[in-house]
């Protein structure tokens, strides 16, 4: 006869063994699924790389055109020289009209005609074409950083300069994708904590413990947007730090990391058009005086 206590101990040991076995099988199943996902991703990548290589080879042999297909071409467009000639013609016409109006009506009469639009002398189709050209360009022209924004930009520049993100993530061999994902998450949260501490120490200290960065998502988005906008306007600057920042932002878009952060770290670039649109005055870009208003002021006359 086995004592009741020993029997209970043996039953508990067996149940523990079963639980451990189920955990082990679950762990093996997860590892197998990860390996299958990595194999599928590698297959898709190799197939895409092979298709691109074959396409380039056909283009080099002259079997396929490297030009844009007809379906992707613009129906009609003007070169920069043609647009410059069109704009100069508009400015010249308006300048002559303004001068003649001043001679005939005086200063106040000329200004009144300009405001009322009675002095319109440029063909409407030309004004519309130039207005559309300015509108399209304004959507891709970043706004110059303000003094306050430059302070935040210098902050992200210093953090990225001292960061070893690419060495820690891409310069290290990991045994599994999960290990690499964990390292990426650690480095990204460390960068966000550094930004928070630099902007406001008490809030940053709190975030290093709670990791609830989503509460200040707008501040983080703005800081990185300042760096991206500055690089667009100054391509020769940020030779090394910009690359690390872009790699960090790209990794922050990984679904698992984005789910952990609970917000999107990338925000749209602040452009001339977005600023005018937010103020409800985007139609100013289609004014016939937009060319004159945005003309370069040369100091030597």
């Amino acid at each position: 006869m086995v004592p009741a206590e020993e029997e209970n101990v043996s039953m508990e040991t067996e149940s523990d063994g079963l639980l451990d076995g189920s955990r082990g099988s679950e762990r093996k199943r997860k590892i197998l699924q990860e390996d299958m996902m990595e194999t599928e991703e590698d297959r898709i990548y190799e197939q895409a790389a092979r298709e691109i290589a074959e396409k380039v080879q056909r283009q080099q042999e002259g079997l396929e055109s490297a030009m844009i297909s007809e379906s992707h071409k613009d129906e009609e467009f003007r070169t920069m020289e043609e647009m410059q000639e069109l704009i100069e013609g508009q400015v010249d016409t308006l300048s002559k009209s303004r001068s003649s109006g001043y001679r005939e009506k005086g200063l106040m009469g000329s200004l009144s005609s300009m405001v009322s639009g009675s002095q319109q002398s440029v063909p409407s189709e030309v004004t519309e074409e130039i207005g559309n050209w300015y509108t399209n360009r304004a959507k891709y022209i970043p706004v110059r950083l303000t003094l306050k924004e430059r302070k935040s930009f210098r902050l992200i520049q210093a953090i990225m300069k001292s960061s070893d993100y690419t060495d820690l993530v891409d310069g290290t061999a990991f045994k599994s994708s999960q290990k690499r994902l964990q390292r990426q998450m650690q480095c990204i949260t460390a960068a966000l904590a550094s930004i928070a501490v630099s902007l406001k120490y008490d809030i940053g200290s709190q975030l290093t413990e709670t990791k609830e960065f989503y509460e200040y998502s707008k501040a983080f988005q703005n800081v990185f947007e300042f760096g991206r906008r500055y690089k667009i306007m100054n391509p020769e600057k940020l030779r090394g730090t910009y690359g690390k920042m872009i790699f960090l932002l790209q990794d922050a878009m990984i679904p698992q990391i984005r789910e952990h952060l609970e917000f999107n770290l990338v925000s749209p670039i602040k452009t001339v058009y977005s600023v005018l649109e937010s103020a409800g005055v985007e139609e100013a870009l289609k004014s016939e005086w937009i060319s004159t208003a945005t003309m370069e002021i040369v100091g030597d006359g």
Side-chain angles (χ1 to χ4, degrees), residues 66-180:
M67 301 300 291
I68 300 175
S69 60
E70 293 294 333
S71 59
H72 292 85
K73 286 185 177 180
D74 295 333
E75 295 181 0
E76 184 179 355
F77 64 93
R78 291 179 181 269
T79 62
M80 289 297 297
E81 290 76 12
E82 291 174 340
M83 284 304 305
Q84 183 178 359
E85 184 179 351
L86 197 65
I87 292 173
E88 289 176 353
Q90 182 196 46
V91 172
D92 185 57
T93 301
L94 291 174
S95 178
K96 291 179 180 178
S97 176
R98 182 177 56 185
S99 299
S100 62
Y102 175 74
R103 287 195 298 268
E104 294 174 2
K105 304 177 183 179
L107 177 60
M108 296 305 298
S110 178
L111 291 174
S112 177
S113 298
M114 289 167 58
V115 173
S116 63
S118 60
Q119 209 174 13
Q120 174 82 11
S121 57
V122 180
S124 58
E125 59 272 11
V126 174
T127 302
E128 182 179 1
E129 182 176 359
I130 294 177
N132 292 334
W133 184 78
Y134 272 106
T135 300
N136 292 331
R137 281 181 58 84
K139 294 178 180 179
Y140 303 98
I141 298 177
V143 176
R144 182 179 173 86
L145 294 177
T146 64
L147 180 61
K148 186 177 181 180
E149 292 173 344
R150 288 179 183 274
K151 293 181 179 178
S152 299
F153 159 70
R154 285 194 288 269
L155 167 63
I156 189 62
Q157 183 183 18
I159 291 176
M160 288 293 103
K161 190 174 182 180
S162 60
S163 173
D164 295 326
Y165 182 80
T166 50
D167 295 333
L168 295 174
V169 173
D170 298 322
T172 306
F174 297 95
K175 294 182 179 180
S176 65
S177 59
Q178 292 299 321
K179 290 288 185 181
R180 185 172 188 272

Side-chain angles (χ1 to χ4, degrees), residues 264-283:
N264 190 348
L265 201 55
V266 179
S267 62
I269 295 292
K270 188 177 181 181
T271 62
V272 173
Y273 184 83
S274 65
V275 172
L276 294 176
E277 187 181 30
S278 63
V281 292
E282 66 272 15
E283 289 299 320

Side-chain angles (χ1 to χ4, degrees), residues 47-69 72:
Q47 182 180 355
R50 192 181 304 110
E51 291 177 356
I52 294 174
E54 292 174 355
K55 183 179 180 67
V56 173
Q57 182 67 26
R58 290 195 301 270
Q59 292 174 354
Q60 291 176 346
E61 294 176 355
L63 302 177
E64 183 178 337
S65 174
M67 301 300 291
I68 300 175
S69 60
H72 292 85

Side-chain angles (χ1 to χ4, degrees), residues 14-28:
E14 290 177 1
S15 63
D16 291 341
L18 289 173
L19 290 174
D20 292 339
S22 63
R23 291 196 191 100
S25 61
E26 182 68 23
R27 191 179 302 110
K28 290 180 181 178

Side-chain angles (χ1 to χ4, degrees), residues 179-243:
K179 290 288 185 181
R180 185 172 188 272
L181 186 64
Q182 184 180 8
R183 178 63 61 83
Q184 288 172 322
M185 200 171 296
Q186 289 175 348
C187 293
I188 291 173
T189 53
L192 296 180
S194 301
I195 294 173
V197 170
S198 301
L199 291 176
K200 203 163 187 179
Y201 180 78
D202 53 345
I203 294 178
S205 301
Q206 181 182 356
L207 288 178
T208 54
E209 299 178 359
T210 62
K211 306 295 183 183
E212 295 177 351
F213 298 103
Y214 62 89
E215 295 182 356
Y216 304 94
S217 58
K218 190 62 178 177
F220 294 123
Q221 290 174 347
N222 288 340
V223 170
F224 284 105
E225 190 269 337
F226 298 156
R228 291 161 54 216
R229 197 187 336 156
Y230 181 85
K231 178 63 175 179
I232 294 173
M233 302 183 70
N234 303 272
E236 74 283 359
K237 303 292 182 64
L238 306 180
R239 293 288 185 177
T241 55
Y242 181 75

Side-chain angles (χ1 to χ4, degrees), residues 250-291:
Q250 287 178 342
D251 292 341
M253 298 298 291
I254 296 175
Q256 295 90 328
I257 297 179
R258 189 166 54 181
E259 183 179 358
H260 174 74
L261 295 176
E262 298 185 36
F263 72 96
N264 190 348
L265 201 55
V266 179
S267 62
I269 295 292
K270 188 177 181 181
T271 62
V272 173
Y273 184 83
S274 65
V275 172
L276 294 176
E277 187 181 30
S278 63
V281 292
E282 66 272 15
E283 289 299 320
L285 294 168
K286 297 184 179 181
S287 170
E288 63 174 339
W289 295 98
I290 186 65
S291 300

